[in-house]
Amino acid sequence: MRATLIHGPRDIRVEDCPDPELLADTDALVKVTAACVCGSDLWPYRGVNQIPKPRRIGHEFIGVVTEIGDKVETLKVGDFVVAPWANSCGNCPPCRNGVQVACEHRAVWGGTDEHGLPVDGGQGEAVRVPNADGTLVPVPGVGNPDEALAKSLLALSDVMGTGHHAALGAKVAPGRSVVVVGDGAVGLSGVLAAKRLGATRIIAMSRPADRAALAREFGATEVVAERGEEAAAKVRELLGGVLADSVLECVGTAESMEQALACTRPGGALGFVGVPHGHDPLPISVLFSKNISVAGGAASTRAYLPELLEDVLSGAINPGLVFDTVMGLEQAPEAYKAMDERKSIKVMLVP
Amino acid sequence: MRATLIHGPRDIRVEDCPDPELLADTDALVKVTAACVCGSDLWPYRGVNQIPKPRRIGHEFIGVVTEIGDKVETLKVGDFVVAPWANSCGNCPPCRNGVQVACEHRAVWGGTDEHGLPVDGGQGEAVRVPNADGTLVPVPGVGNPDEALAKSLLALSDVMGTGHHAALGAKVAPGRSVVVVGDGAVGLSGVLAAKRLGATRIIAMSRPADRAALAREFGATEVVAERGEEAAAKVRELLGGVLADSVLECVGTAESMEQALACTRPGGALGFVGVPHGHDPLPISVLFSKNISVAGGAASTRAYLPELLEDVLSGAINPGLVFDTVMGLEQAPEAYKAMDERKSIKVMLVP
């Protein structure tokens, strides 16, 4: 089969790879119908994360189950499934607590499983899925989704659930004012999540017209182009002299965290999902004096999939709009380039 | 009148000071019947915080209203009152949000008010209280409380409300397992707060027999004497192989925060109230990967006073047990020494 590898900074290649096979009786094989590039894939692409040797890449995919191990109980061949970005067993204490990202038996897409056996990346034609029961979520009544539905299902693999996680961490609820820092696919999904959770005042921080427009379509009531202290001042002005109750940090840099803290009112809540880069650690003295709570981190999208899937299937939310570009799998290098240069919000790759 | 000043490290003196007078029509004068030394007073005492010049000290007191300004509406002369450790106006946005510690018009005990006028410290015979309506909480039906009641009322000024704040930050609730790091008056109050909020499994970290005994009296089901990784391993063992749902950090050092993080399960909640010393900032990568939420900071004990006062008056809680020593005001230097050397958990000073 064909699959994507990262060889080094800005060196993405689609190559011939071995077809996956069942290696454990809890495995399933999935024929990928769509995958995508994540903002976090851009960190190794940009050389921020080390790449000691070429490796398979991609952790978001949807597709059809083609084979299952003997112990797989909740799936059958032919099921259309969404794979969360984090593999999970479903049975260990963290999984039972809904914190699947801390699964004690987690396999890593494009890496290895708990037995050290290789696991396929999502950006390829097929994937061996360890812990299939605990990981994959079947989509009832869907045979071969059309492109619009496929986009929204694929968004549930990561970005929509991650935006939802940020909104929960920021304690978004009806009546609370919301600021979203970051206008990538996760930040935009955070806007949609905040709207879905009942927020009526949502300020998105964005500059490009296409992203600002999508933020508004997702529920942003205002879009702020300023940055830094000017942005915080603008938020205060828009909210009648106070800062925001709930702030979503959806980037992961020192600047974005500082921006998020500066926009949060005393006693407010900051939900953070941007993978931390360069701002470890957090200024506890600011949290102490302003009583700002911080929650979030890597999102257990598996936990949120059932409720979000229901809203996608009913048409209540359309998170797939973050995919403004569709390319064939062979164009993976171009997909990375388009996202790196912010020419595309998010690219769907179709094998 | 007589009042306490700090002149420098380990240099506490009780001196003649001017009697307070009303300086604003929103002021009240309070004759102090009991005050106390706070763990945070020990930071300047130990020379960790700078003392550029001698200053009045003490931020916890109870007493009787002796005079009120023309605009004071909720108090009358003769009222017995509890003064929260943080002065607050009660009307600004943070106050209305229940985050009185961020009050925009806050005066500082032993420092100045928003107009730059001096404010008495709590460890003295009398105090001018700016923002009297927003700050003082009258105790209904109490003329001159006996010593036991006085201790519990005084505990509401700071430590009991601060322990409660830590417990709320750690999301303590029935069914959740709790670890409390710190066996000072705040940590012990945190145990009591956790018990009051319905926790049935409370692990206190303590070594001295008197503190461990009080922790058990307040509701601790286990007391762990180990520290560091051994303590976390002990917690995991006691909880059947998992770490705690809720952890209260009640010290404020790098070691105590590390201990608290090490005891928190993935997806768990860490409530922190120890004034940060030496561990600014927090390791965001740990919070990210373990999905640990962090909330707390300086406690707005004013917000919690009504509900906690009700429980004190009904006898449901007896937070005054943290006061294991009573001294006269003139013995303030000995009181600091006793707490510094951990010979006393908390000292009540009676003018």
Side-chain angles (χ1 to χ4, degrees):
Chain A
M1 69 162 180
R2 300 284 287 170
T4 308
L5 288 91
I6 183 164
H7 281 255
R10 297 176 203 282
D11 185 0
I12 299 287
R13 304 181 201 173
V14 181
E15 301 177 2
D16 287 325
C17 297
D19 287 335
E21 295 175 13
L22 296 179
L23 299 179
D25 49 15
T26 50
D27 285 356
L29 300 187
V30 172
K31 177 181 181 297
V32 176
T33 62
C36 53
V37 180
C38 182
S40 67
D41 292 332
L42 296 179
W43 293 110
Y45 181 78
R46 289 168 177 160
V48 177
N49 293 359
Q50 293 298 311
I51 309 153
K53 58 180 182 178
R55 65 172 173 80
R56 302 276 285 279
I57 193 165
H59 54 256
E60 299 149 285
F61 60 97
I62 56 177
V64 179
V65 175
T66 56
E67 207 173 333
I68 57 173
D70 289 343
K71 288 195 178 161
V72 173
E73 295 178 352
T74 61
L75 303 163
K76 59 183 191 304
V77 171
D79 278 351
F80 195 90
V81 293
V82 178
W85 74 268
N87 178 288
S88 57
C89 77
N91 292 317
C92 67
C95 280
R96 291 200 303 272
N97 282 326
V99 192
Q100 283 91 341
V101 294
C103 172
E104 295 171 1
H105 307 285
R106 181 174 161 186
V108 176
W109 309 123
T112 55
D113 63 19
E114 63 173 330
H115 308 294
L117 297 170
V119 180
D120 304 286
Q123 295 163 12
E125 289 185 303
V127 174
R128 175 179 78 89
V129 178
N131 301 312
D133 278 329
T135 301
L136 297 173
V137 177
V139 184
V142 167
N144 188 17
D146 63 21
E147 186 176 288
L149 178 57
K151 286 177 172 176
S152 280
L153 294 175
L154 186 56
L156 299 184
S157 174
D158 187 343
V159 292
M160 183 60 205
T162 295
H164 180 65
H165 191 54
L168 293 181
K171 301 181 183 174
V172 172
R176 284 176 65 97
S177 55
V178 177
V179 163
V180 179
V181 177
D183 62 359
V186 170
L188 293 164
S189 299
V191 170
L192 181 56
K195 175 74 176 175
R196 179 179 172 275
L197 290 169
T200 46
R201 197 71 189 273
I202 304 170
I203 302 172
M205 296 205 165
S206 182
R207 282 174 176 164
D210 57 336
R211 293 171 191 248
L214 185 50
R216 288 189 186 277
E217 183 163 354
F218 274 170
T221 48
E222 283 99 358
V223 176
V224 167
E226 288 85 349
R227 297 280 165 85
E229 288 180 18
E230 285 179 16
K234 187 74 183 178
V235 166
R236 190 187 289 274
E237 179 195 324
L238 288 169
L239 296 178
V242 295
L243 294 168
D245 301 316
S246 299
V247 177
L248 284 61
E249 193 290 305
C250 304
V251 182
T253 61
E255 294 71 26
S256 61
M257 181 57 86
E258 191 176 339
Q259 181 73 78
L261 283 168
C263 291
T264 314
R265 71 158 168 87
L270 194 159
F272 78 108
V273 292
V275 183
H277 277 85
H279 64 104
D280 193 321
L282 263 173
I284 194 173
S285 56
V286 174
L287 306 184
F288 188 88
S289 59
K290 286 186 75 179
N291 267 236
I292 294 174
S293 68
V294 173
S300 298
T301 58
R302 177 63 179 82
Y304 307 135
L305 250 161
E307 62 172 307
L308 296 175
L309 178 59
E310 195 177 315
D311 278 14
V312 162
L313 294 177
S314 76
I317 57 172
N318 191 5
L321 293 176
V322 295
F323 290 101
D324 57 350
T325 311
V326 179
M327 295 183 182
L329 177 63
E330 299 294 332
Q331 291 172 279
E334 291 88 328
Y336 276 77
K337 190 162 185 288
M339 285 185 59
D340 178 46
E341 295 172 354
R342 284 176 66 87
K343 287 181 179 164
S344 174
I345 299 174
K346 197 164 173 76
V347 181
M348 182 160 86
L349 292 172
V350 181
Chain B
M1 70 160 181
R2 301 285 287 172
T4 308
L5 289 90
I6 183 164
H7 281 254
R10 296 176 205 281
D11 186 359
I12 298 289
R13 305 181 201 173
V14 181
E15 300 177 2
D16 287 325
C17 296
D19 288 334
E21 295 175 10
L22 296 179
L23 299 179
D25 49 16
T26 50
D27 285 355
L29 301 187
V30 171
K31 178 182 180 297
V32 176
T33 62
C36 53
V37 180
C38 182
S40 68
D41 292 332
L42 297 179
W43 292 110
Y45 182 77
R46 289 168 177 161
V48 178
N49 293 359
Q50 293 297 311
I51 309 154
K53 58 179 183 179
R55 64 172 173 80
R56 302 275 287 279
I57 192 165
H59 53 255
E60 298 151 283
F61 60 98
I62 56 176
V64 178
V65 175
T66 56
E67 207 174 332
I68 57 172
D70 289 343
K71 286 195 178 160
V72 173
E73 294 178 353
T74 61
L75 303 163
K76 59 183 189 305
V77 171
D79 278 352
F80 196 89
V81 292
V82 178
W85 75 268
N87 178 288
S88 58
C89 78
N91 292 315
C92 68
C95 281
R96 290 200 305 271
N97 281 326
V99 193
Q100 284 90 342
V101 295
C103 171
E104 295 171 2
H105 306 286
R106 180 174 161 187
V108 176
W109 310 123
T112 54
D113 64 19
E114 63 172 330
H115 308 296
L117 297 170
V119 179
D120 304 286
Q123 295 162 12
E125 291 186 302
V127 174
R128 176 178 78 89
V129 178
N131 301 312
D133 278 330
T135 301
L136 298 172
V137 177
V139 184
V142 167
N144 187 18
D146 63 22
E147 187 176 287
L149 179 56
K151 285 176 172 176
S152 280
L153 295 175
L154 186 56
L156 299 185
S157 175
D158 187 342
V159 291
M160 182 61 206
T162 295
H164 180 65
H165 191 55
L168 293 181
K171 302 181 183 174
V172 173
R176 284 176 66 96
S177 55
V178 177
V179 164
V180 179
V181 178
D183 62 359
V186 170
L188 293 165
S189 300
V191 171
L192 180 57
K195 176 74 175 174
R196 179 179 172 275
L197 289 170
T200 46
R201 198 72 189 272
I202 304 170
I203 301 171
M205 296 206 164
S206 183
R207 282 175 176 166
D210 59 335
R211 292 170 192 247
L214 185 50
R216 288 191 187 275
E217 183 163 354
F218 275 170
T221 48
E222 283 100 359
V223 176
V224 168
E226 288 85 350
R227 297 281 165 84
E229 286 179 19
E230 286 178 16
K234 187 76 183 175
V235 166
R236 191 188 288 274
E237 179 195 326
L238 288 170
L239 296 178
V242 295
L243 294 169
D245 301 315
S246 298
V247 177
L248 284 62
E249 193 290 306
C250 303
V251 182
T253 62
E255 293 73 25
S256 61
M257 182 57 86
E258 193 177 336
Q259 182 72 79
L261 284 168
C263 292
T264 314
R265 72 159 168 86
L270 194 160
F272 79 108
V273 293
V275 183
H277 277 84
H279 64 106
D280 193 320
L282 265 173
I284 194 172
S285 56
V286 175
L287 306 185
F288 187 89
S289 59
K290 286 186 73 179
N291 267 236
I292 294 174
S293 68
V294 173
S300 298
T301 57
R302 177 63 179 82
Y304 306 135
L305 251 160
E307 62 171 308
L308 295 176
L309 178 59
E310 196 176 314
D311 279 12
V312 162
L313 295 177
S314 76
I317 57 172
N318 191 5
L321 293 176
V322 295
F323 291 102
D324 56 351
T325 310
V326 179
M327 295 183 183
L329 177 62
E330 298 296 330
Q331 291 171 278
E334 290 90 326
Y336 276 77
K337 191 163 183 290
M339 284 184 61
D340 178 45
E341 295 172 357
R342 282 176 67 90
K343 289 182 179 162
S344 175
I345 299 174
K346 197 165 174 74
V347 182
M348 182 160 85
L349 292 173
V350 180

